[in-house]
Amino acid sequence: MSNLALATIDNVTYTYDHKFISFFEEFIKGQRSKNTGDAYRTDIRQFFKFIFGKEIEYISISDIESLTSLEAMRYHNHLKGLKRKNSSIKRKIEAVSSLLDSLKVDYQNINNNIFDNLKLDSVDLDRNGYGNLDWEEAFLFIEYAHVEQMEGNQMAMALKLACISSIRLEALLSLTWEDFRVKNEKGVMVHYIDKVDKQTRHQTPVSENFYIELREKLGTVGKLFPNLYKHKVGKFLKEILTYFEIDPKRNIKFHSFKKCGVNRVLEQTGDLTKAQIQGKHKSIITTQNSYIALKDDLTLKPSYTLDQDVNVIDEIKDLSHEQLIIAISQMSNSAQYELLRIINKG
């Protein structure tokens, strides 16, 4: 018995493949969540509509078997032309690719590798446009959220944890106290899965003092932020920005607090690699594109002092204690922290 039927729409006759449609519906139902399934349904429909000019109900297995990397490149370029975010492009392509992988099991003539030649831009590049906050400004916002008791202490501590850990909002909101399960003399380790890299379980340490503060202000059972969700966080942040009359052109978002932590590390250490680790960036290029601290101070660039041969001991040996204190106070944060590190090391 044939799986095919004919349908005529606007004087155009289409083939209806019952078996493929049944497969597609089961594929959608089998996704991790209803939201993922709904997103995949939309993304796959858009792909077939663009490539074949017809709705998915009238797509046949033979249509899918005809797909090559040419169609994949056309669709990729189409999405880029629409100025879609890299994360959106990645998700749309993953949706179609996942369907092709599933179909390949039963239909060997399907090429499920059509997207392999694509050069997808990192989703981290989507965030470069997010505005920057300096450390003091961020903590002024945190204090306001605390005073206003935005969902009790939850909003204030979410902002503070974002600054200190540079964990993204989606991962923060899913944290439970069970994720703080490794404790040692250097602090407490936070275990979490990042939305952008779901295959890796990340670990980020926080100090024991901050861990105690979290427990004092958020409780010790269940989720850290049970009453917060993405839209509510955005609403609270908008209220904060309005109160402080922050120019909308600065584009301050929750992600700005994550970037704040990255910039703070760079200010304290002057080490781009450490800033990369703080930001959990797979590529240091992402860190270079995102940070602001020190980048405009030409005297801090290596080439500025490369040809200079200075005997610092001779220069400072006759200075008074007060002169040394003044000089140290005018040093960059990274230089001051390096000096402290050497002193503490003994």
Side-chain angles (χ1 to χ4, degrees):
M1 183 175 178
S2 175
N3 294 310
L4 305 179
L6 298 179
T8 302
I9 300 176
D10 296 331
N11 295 321
V12 178
T13 300
Y14 295 99
T15 302
Y16 184 93
D17 190 327
H18 290 283
K19 192 166 185 178
F20 167 65
I21 296 304
S22 295
F23 184 100
F24 175 68
E25 291 300 330
E26 294 302 322
F27 170 81
I28 295 298
K29 291 178 184 177
Q31 298 309 308
R32 293 184 302 274
S33 67
K34 184 178 184 302
N35 288 340
T36 300
D38 289 344
Y40 270 32
R41 182 188 297 276
T42 299
D43 294 338
I44 293 168
R45 279 183 174 276
Q46 290 174 350
F47 172 78
F48 286 128
K49 182 70 173 178
F50 174 78
I51 296 298
F52 295 112
K54 53 187 177 181
E55 299 297 334
I56 195 169
E57 286 80 9
Y58 307 111
I59 297 295
S60 66
I61 292 298
S62 61
D63 287 329
I64 300 173
E65 289 176 338
S66 72
L67 291 172
T68 67
S69 58
L70 174 61
E71 285 74 35
M73 289 187 288
R74 281 181 53 216
Y75 186 59
H76 183 215
N77 291 330
H78 166 69
L79 293 175
K80 290 195 295 184
L82 295 176
K83 305 297 183 184
R84 300 296 189 202
K85 287 186 175 182
N86 296 322
S87 58
S88 177
I89 293 175
K90 182 173 182 288
R91 189 201 71 231
K92 289 178 180 296
I93 288 176
E94 283 180 346
V96 180
S97 181
S98 180
L99 176 65
L100 296 182
D101 286 341
S102 297
L103 285 167
K104 179 75 172 181
V105 174
D106 296 323
Y107 303 95
Q108 293 301 307
N109 290 332
I110 288 177
N111 182 356
N112 60 333
N113 299 314
I114 63 173
F115 296 107
D116 286 3
N117 291 331
L118 300 185
K119 305 298 183 184
L120 298 179
D121 292 326
S122 170
V123 297
D124 283 327
L125 298 178
D126 290 339
R127 299 173 172 81
N128 288 345
Y130 292 168
N132 290 293
L133 289 170
D134 63 41
W135 192 255
E136 290 74 18
E137 188 177 32
F139 274 75
L140 190 63
F141 295 170
I142 291 169
E143 179 62 24
Y144 178 84
H146 173 68
V147 171
E148 293 298 313
Q149 283 292 282
M150 295 177 166
E151 285 297 345
N153 291 313
Q154 290 183 40
M155 182 63 178
M157 297 311 291
L159 294 176
K160 189 171 183 177
L161 184 54
C163 286
I164 291 174
S165 68
S166 292
I167 297 175
R168 292 184 177 88
L169 176 59
E170 293 83 356
L172 280 181
L173 296 183
S174 67
L175 286 177
T176 70
W177 288 108
E178 293 180 355
D179 295 317
F180 293 75
R181 62 182 182 272
V182 177
K183 185 176 179 180
N184 54 45
E185 68 280 1
K186 296 182 179 180
V188 179
M189 199 70 72
V190 186
H191 295 248
Y192 67 96
I193 296 177
D194 197 303
K195 179 182 178 182
V196 174
D197 183 12
K198 296 178 180 178
Q199 305 303 317
T200 304
R201 189 158 184 83
H202 297 273
Q203 299 181 36
T204 294
V206 297
S207 70
E208 185 172 1
N209 286 339
F210 183 48
Y211 175 67
I212 292 172
E213 181 185 1
L214 286 169
R215 291 173 68 87
E216 288 176 346
K217 293 185 176 178
L218 298 176
T220 60
V221 178
K223 297 181 69 174
L224 273 70
F225 310 107
N227 299 328
L228 291 182
Y229 49 88
K230 191 173 182 178
H231 177 72
K232 183 178 283 188
V233 169
K235 182 179 178 181
F236 281 147
L237 184 54
K238 184 177 181 181
E239 179 182 331
I240 295 171
L241 298 177
T242 300
Y243 177 82
F244 287 99
E245 298 181 346
I246 302 300
D247 188 344
K249 292 181 180 179
R250 288 184 59 187
N251 197 30
I252 301 300
K253 305 294 183 183
F254 189 90
H255 196 82
S256 302
F257 292 82
K258 175 185 185 296
K259 289 182 69 175
C260 178
V262 176
N263 284 316
R264 179 68 167 175
V265 169
L266 192 63
E267 289 174 353
Q268 291 185 348
T269 68
D271 190 329
L272 197 59
T273 302
K274 291 181 179 178
Q276 177 190 4
I277 294 171
Q278 173 72 14
K280 292 86 178 171
H281 300 146
K282 288 186 176 181
S283 169
I284 202 168
I285 300 300
T286 303
T287 314
Q288 289 175 321
N289 290 337
S290 299
Y291 82 90
I292 58 166
L294 310 181
K295 70 179 182 180
D296 293 324
D297 190 344
L298 299 182
T299 65
L300 298 174
K301 305 292 185 180
S303 59
Y304 186 84
T305 57
L306 204 60
D307 64 337
Q308 300 182 39
D309 186 14
V310 179
N311 189 323
V312 177
I313 302 299
D314 287 343
E315 293 287 335
I316 69 172
K317 65 181 181 181
D318 295 325
L319 294 180
S320 66
H321 177 269
E322 183 179 354
Q323 288 175 314
L324 283 172
I325 295 298
I326 293 174
I328 292 172
S329 69
Q330 294 176 352
M331 292 166 61
S332 67
N333 281 344
S334 60
Q336 290 183 28
Y337 275 87
E338 177 64 10
L339 179 61
L340 278 176
R341 187 189 68 78
I342 294 172
I343 293 172
N344 292 332
K345 190 174 179 180

